[in-house]
Amino acid sequence: MRVIGVSSLTRDLGNWRNDDESSRRNSTRPAYLALAEGIRLLIHDGRIPLGVALPSERDLAGALSLSRTTITSTYS
C-alpha cells in the first residue's frame, strides 16, 4: 500500500487554516473540520490519489502541532 508522506501532505495543505488574528477571533470552525476540508479538497483535486494511505495520526499531529485527538477527529 502506498502512503503519502507527512511532509508532502503538509506542503500540499499549505495554509489550511487562516492564522490571522481577526479570523481566529471570529472563527467558530473547529480545527478538525478545517483540516478535514483541506484534505478533502486535495483528494478532489487529485493531489492525493484514491487508495493512498494518509500519514499516521501521531506523525501528522507532530507536523502540524496539533493534538492527536484533533487528527483522529479529522480522519473520522
Side-chain angles (χ1 to χ4, degrees):
M1 172 178 277
R2 202 168 135 223
V3 178
I4 187 168
V6 71
S7 59
S8 296
L9 180 58
T10 56
R11 182 193 64 236
D12 288 345
L13 281 169
N15 189 15
W16 59 273
R17 90 178 139 186
N18 190 350
D19 285 335
D20 103 18
E21 188 63 35
S22 62
S23 294
R24 207 175 324 141
R25 212 173 328 133
N26 296 327
S27 177
T28 58
R29 188 173 184 192
Y32 78 93
L33 289 177
L35 183 56
E37 181 62 21
I39 293 171
R40 189 176 297 113
L41 289 173
L42 292 175
I43 293 168
H44 286 284
D45 284 354
R47 290 186 273 172
I48 298 177
L50 293 176
V52 171
L54 295 173
S56 71
E57 294 170 356
R58 191 175 312 267
D59 289 344
L60 189 56
L64 297 176
S65 299
L66 295 170
S67 73
R68 200 164 150 220
T69 303
T70 299
I71 304 303
T72 301
S73 297
T74 297
Y75 281 177
S76 292

